[in-house]
C-alpha cells in the first residue's frame, strides 16, 4: 500500500517536472536571468521550488509511513494521546507557520533590494501602454522627446536605463522576465523601473495584467546592443523617414499621405502627423508588427493593412478596403522600406 502511494505521488510530480524543464529554453523564462533584479527573483523562485519539493517529499514519506503502519487496523477514530496531539500541533500548526515565515522573510528581503539606487541611468525611456501596443518615447535631459517608436526598446548593454511607465487607457503591466520583475502601468500615475542587460541579445516582454480582448497579443522586445551598435541605431532613428527609392515606393508614399493612414500615423519627413497609432518613421527596422503578432515582412504588412481585424480582432487598426491590389502592394512596400 505504501509503495502504491509513493508511486502515485511520483506520477503526479512528473508532469510538473516535465513542464518546468521544458520552460528552460523559452523567451519568457524568468529563471534564466540576464540582470540583477531578475536574478534576485529567480533565486527567490528556486528557493520556493526547492522548499516546496522538500515539504512535498516529507508529506509523501509521512503519508506512506502512516498508511503502512495502520494497514491492518479498522479503527478510524482520532489519536488523542499526547503523541497524536503532537502531530497536530507540530505538523499542522508549527511547521506551516515556520515555512510561511521563512518565505515571507526571504521574499521581503528580495523586494527590499528593488528601490532605485546605484549608478545614475544613462538613458530615460517613457513607455505608455495602450490597447494593445506600447508607445516608446526616448527622453532628453529636460524630458524633451528625442524620438518615438513602438513595441521595441533598444538599450545599451551593461548600462542602467530608467523606464517611466504610464497608461493611456486601462491598467497594463510591464514585464521582461529575463531582466526585471513586473510593474503596473496605471492611468494617471507614473511608475519607475530600471533595466540593465548584462549581455547583448533580444529579450521578450509582455503585458502581464489582463487589459482586454488582445491582452495576450500585447508583446514587446527589449534589444540590448553593444555601445557602437546602439549609437548607430540611435543616429538612424533620429533621421527622418527614408525617401522612396523607386516608382513602387513612390506610389506607396502617395497612397499613404493621401489616404486614411495619415490620420493615425506619423512618418517624420512627410505630412503624416497622426498621434493615435504607432509612429512608423522607421517601422521597417523593427522585428515584428502589431505588438509581436506578426513578423515584419512585406507579406505580413499587406495582410495587416488589408485585414487587421481578422489578425487581431478588436484592435483600433481598421480593415483598409479602398485600395486595389497595386496600391496595397505599393503601400506595403513603402512602409516596409522605412528602415
Amino acid at each position: 500500500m505504501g509503495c502504491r502511494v509513493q508511486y502515485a505521488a511520483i506520477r503526479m510530480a512528473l508532469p510538473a517536472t516535465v513542464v518546468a524543464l521544458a520552460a528552460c529554453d523559452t523567451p519568457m523564462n524568468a529563471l534564466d536571468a540576464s540582470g540583477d533584479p531578475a536574478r534576485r527573483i529567480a533565486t527567490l523562485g528556486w528557493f520556493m521550488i526547492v522548499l516546496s519539493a522538500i515539504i512535498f517529499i516529507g508529506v509523501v514519506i509521512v503519508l506512506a509511513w502512516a498508511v503502512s503502519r495502520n494497514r491492518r487496523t479498522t479503527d478510524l477514530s482520532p489519536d488523542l494521546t499526547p503523541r497524536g496531539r503532537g502531530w497536530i500541533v507540530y505538523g499542522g500548526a508549527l511547521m506551516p507557520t515556520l515555512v510561511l515565515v521563512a518565505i515571507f522573510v526571504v521574499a521581503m528581503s528580495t523586494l527590499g533590494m528593488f528601490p532605485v539606487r546605484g549608478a545614475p541611468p544613462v538613458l530615460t525611456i517613457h513607455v505608455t501602454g495602450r490597447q494593445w501596443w506600447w508607445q516608446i518615447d526616448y527622453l532628453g535631459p529636460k524630458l524633451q522627446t528625442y524620438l518615438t517608436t513602438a513595441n521595441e526598446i533598444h538599450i545599451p548593454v551593461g548600462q542602467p536605463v530608467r523606464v517611466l511607465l504610464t497608461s493611456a487607457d486601462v491598467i497594463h503591466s510591464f514585464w521582461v522576465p529575463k531582466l526585471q520583475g513586473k510593474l503596473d502601468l496605471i492611468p494617471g500615475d507614473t511608475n519607475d523601473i530600471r533595466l540593465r542587460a548584462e549581455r547583448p541579445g533580444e529579450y521578450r516582454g509582455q503585458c502581464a495584467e489582463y487589459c482586454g480582448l488582445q491582452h495576450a497579443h500585447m508583446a514587446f522586445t527589449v534589444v540590448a546592443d553593444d555601445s557602437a551598435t546602439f549609437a548607430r541605431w540611435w543616429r538612424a532613428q533620429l533621421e527622418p523617414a527614408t525617401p522612396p527609392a523607386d516608382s513602387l515606393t513612390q506610389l506607396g508614399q502617395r497612397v499613404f499621405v493621401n489616404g486614411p493612414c495619415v490620420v493615425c500615423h506619423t512618418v517624420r519627413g512627410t505630412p503624416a502627423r497622426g498621434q493615435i497609432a504607432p509612429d512608423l518613421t522607421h517601422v521597417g527596422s523593427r522585428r515584428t508588427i502589431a505588438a509581436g503578432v506578426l513578423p515584419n515582412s512585406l507579406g505580413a504588412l499587406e495582410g495587416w493593412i488589408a485585414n487587421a481585424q481578422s489578425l487581431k480582432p478588436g484592435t483600433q487598426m481598421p480593415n483598409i478596403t479602398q485600395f486595389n491590389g497595386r496600391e496595397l502592394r505599393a503601400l506595403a512596400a513603402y512602409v516596409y522600406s522605412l528602415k
Side-chain angles (χ1 to χ4, degrees):
M1 181 68 174
C3 293
R4 287 200 295 270
V5 172
Q6 291 176 337
Y7 177 68
I10 293 172
R11 287 186 60 188
M12 289 188 293
L14 278 176
T17 304
V18 171
V19 170
L21 292 174
C24 290
D25 271 338
T26 61
M28 300 292 290
N29 179 16
L31 300 179
D32 181 18
S34 296
D36 288 339
R39 187 171 294 107
R40 297 187 192 111
I41 295 172
T43 301
L44 176 61
W46 280 117
F47 169 77
M48 297 179 69
I49 289 171
V50 171
L51 183 61
S52 300
I54 293 172
I55 294 172
F56 177 77
I57 292 171
V59 170
V60 170
I61 292 174
V62 172
L63 177 62
W65 171 77
V67 170
S68 61
R69 178 174 176 268
N70 297 303
R71 63 183 180 276
R72 292 189 179 90
T73 182
T74 59
D75 183 9
L76 301 179
S77 60
D79 184 0
L80 298 180
T81 65
R83 185 178 180 181
R85 288 195 295 269
W87 277 104
I88 296 173
V89 172
Y90 294 110
L94 183 60
M95 184 60 67
T97 300
L98 291 176
V99 170
L100 293 176
V101 168
I103 293 175
F104 178 80
V105 170
V106 174
M108 289 299 102
S109 175
T110 300
L111 292 176
M113 298 177 184
F114 280 96
V116 176
R117 60 190 177 203
V122 298
L123 183 65
T124 298
I125 301 173
H126 187 183
V127 176
T128 304
R130 300 180 181 273
Q131 290 178 308
W132 291 272
W133 59 282
W134 306 86
Q135 179 178 322
I136 317 296
D137 295 309
Y138 288 78
L139 307 178
K142 297 182 180 180
L143 298 184
Q144 296 171 342
T145 301
Y146 278 176
L147 62 92
T148 298
T149 181
N151 303 320
E152 190 169 294
I153 301 173
H154 284 249
I155 61 175
V157 69
Q159 301 292 328
V161 175
R162 185 187 189 194
V163 182
L164 303 176
L165 303 172
T166 59
S167 173
D169 34 56
V170 299
I171 296 177
H172 302 280
S173 187
F174 184 89
W175 187 34
V176 192
K178 294 188 177 185
L179 298 180
Q180 184 56 278
K182 303 174 185 177
L183 191 60
D184 284 348
L185 296 81
I186 301 172
D189 197 5
T190 300
N191 281 330
D192 191 336
I193 201 170
R194 295 291 187 272
L195 293 179
R196 182 181 176 275
E198 295 177 347
R199 56 181 181 265
E202 298 179 15
Y203 302 95
R204 168 70 179 258
Q206 179 69 40
C207 178
E209 178 77 23
Y210 181 72
C211 55
L213 179 63
Q214 291 298 325
H215 160 68
H217 293 152
M218 188 175 171
F220 62 96
T221 303
V222 176
V223 182
D225 297 318
D226 60 77
S227 299
T229 303
F230 178 79
R232 287 195 300 270
W233 175 86
W234 179 265
R235 288 193 297 269
Q237 293 293 309
L238 291 176
E239 295 295 325
T242 306
D246 53 53
S247 59
L248 184 65
T249 53
Q250 288 172 358
L251 172 61
Q253 185 185 56
R254 291 196 298 271
V255 172
F256 188 95
V257 299
N258 294 318
C261 306
V262 74
V263 176
C264 300
H265 294 282
T266 290
V267 176
R268 285 183 281 115
T270 75
R273 288 289 184 268
Q275 300 295 317
I276 300 174
D279 187 305
L280 300 182
T281 304
H282 296 289
V283 64
S285 66
R286 299 173 199 159
R287 288 153 175 76
T288 65
I289 60 174
V293 173
L294 298 169
N296 194 354
S297 65
L298 189 58
L301 281 168
E302 287 190 40
W304 176 252
I305 294 170
N307 201 359
Q309 291 300 317
S310 68
L311 298 170
K312 194 171 181 178
T315 183
Q316 292 187 18
M317 173 73 175
N319 293 336
I320 307 297
T321 59
Q322 62 264 53
F323 300 139
N324 59 38
R326 183 167 179 267
E327 290 173 333
L328 177 61
R329 193 172 306 110
L331 177 57
Y334 170 67
V335 173
Y336 190 64
S337 73
L338 299 174
K339 303 293 186 179

